[in-house]
Amino acid sequence: MAQVVLVVNAGSSSVKFGVFGVGPDGTLAQAEQGQVEGIGGRPRFAVADPAGRTLVDRPVSAGMPRGHPGAIAEVVAWLRAHTDGAAPIAVGHRIVHGGESYAQPVLVDDAVLEDLERLVPLAPLHQPYQTEAIRAIRSALPGVPQVACFDTAFHVTQPPVARAFALPRAYAAEGIRRYGFHGLSYEYVTFALPSVAPEAAGGRVVVAHLGNGASLCAIRDGASVATTMGFTALDGLVMGTRCGSLDPGVLLYLMDRHGMTARDLERLLYEESGLL
């Protein structure tokens, strides 16, 4: 069986994955893609071929662990059967927040994993599930190298003025600044743009990442110069359940008038706002 690489994108209620064959020259070609959705309820496992034809669509196997470890176990069990028992040569993960330390993909070790878990408060809808997926892969595929690729990394090219908040500089020194997100999506668009719109690829482009989470990015000569998301994935456009840009005075009012705590505000802003 040819060597394969597994790519994982873990969310709060789903684990999406892709399987890529490794050619003799090291190039990658997508073989299958799939997901486990409905985690926390009645999860289903589905796989499709590169043409989108369904290969598998069924409930997650009985006896699998609950939650994300069970979803990862289901994917790994299918992959082992699909590759005659061979493990992937590597696993890549989409990680939403790399903080100040990670501006490019990195091989995951204990220290990296601890760093990523410290960033959970900055991306509570994504980061805890992505680090849980890393730990689940460690358990299911011990010894297989895992690589973290960061949504924040694409935006490190922004000038300092675009990354700074108008707050006392002591707060910036502890990492309170604009990071930007959806960077892997924007990076792919800049990669594909020369073949789709070569006349625009080398100039000034505004790219929209639209979904349950949404943002815009201003790109010049293939590099990010500004984006609508900031310190967390709350800022900018109105999203599925997130409010987007909001006068901070509203939060002060809710704390004073309604006695809302930080956790109350977190739930309101991430889960009970936006288009909902």
Side-chain angles (χ1 to χ4, degrees), residues 79-159:
L79 185 61
R80 285 193 183 281
H82 187 63
T83 58
D84 299 323
I89 61 171
V91 180
H93 293 267
R94 176 221 178 181
I95 304 295
V96 164
H97 215 306
E100 294 187 283
S101 301
Y102 301 106
Q104 59 188 5
V106 63
L107 192 65
V108 177
D109 58 18
D110 289 342
V112 169
L113 186 52
E114 290 175 6
D115 284 347
L116 301 185
E117 288 176 331
R118 279 194 284 269
L119 293 169
V120 163
L122 303 189
L125 293 187
H126 304 88
Q127 199 90 349
Y129 309 106
Q130 292 164 351
T131 55
E132 190 174 9
I134 292 174
R135 292 193 179 277
I137 290 286
R138 274 188 171 186
S139 177
L141 297 170
V144 173
Q146 300 189 71
V147 176
C149 302
F150 301 98
D151 262 339
T152 48
F154 182 71
H155 302 294
V156 299
T157 55
Q158 292 181 8

Side-chain angles (χ1 to χ4, degrees), residues 8 66 73 76 98 110 115 133 148 168 191 193 202 225 230 267:
V8 175
R66 295 181 63 82
V76 170
D110 289 342
D115 284 347
F191 169 79
L193 200 58
V225 295
R267 183 172 61 255

Side-chain angles (χ1 to χ4, degrees), residues 12-40:
S12 59
S13 62
S14 69
V15 171
K16 297 182 174 70
F17 68 93
V19 179
F20 293 80
V22 183
D25 59 352
T27 57
L28 299 179
Q30 185 164 6
E32 292 87 18
Q33 60 184 346
Q35 64 180 352
V36 178
E37 60 180 353
I39 297 173

Side-chain angles (χ1 to χ4, degrees), residues 204-273:
R204 299 168 182 250
V205 181
V206 174
V207 179
H209 176 100
L210 302 178
N212 194 48
S215 65
L216 300 174
C217 183
I219 297 172
R220 183 172 57 226
D221 298 327
S224 172
V225 295
T227 188
T228 56
M229 281 184 168
F231 180 59
T232 69
L234 279 175
D235 202 6
L237 306 183
V238 172
M239 295 170 248
T241 63
R242 285 171 268 174
C243 60
S245 295
L246 183 70
D247 181 345
V250 172
L251 306 183
L252 298 177
Y253 175 88
L254 293 173
M255 293 166 67
D256 286 341
R257 187 66 178 265
H258 294 274
M260 296 184 77
T261 66
R263 298 288 73 79
D264 294 332
L265 292 173
E266 181 180 67
R267 183 172 61 255
L268 172 71
L269 299 179
Y270 276 103
E271 300 175 10
E272 299 173 352
S273 300

Side-chain angles (χ1 to χ4, degrees), residues 172-185:
E174 65 177 74
I176 299 178
R177 58 175 174 78
R178 293 186 178 276
Y179 291 97
F181 300 93
H182 296 143
L184 296 175
S185 174

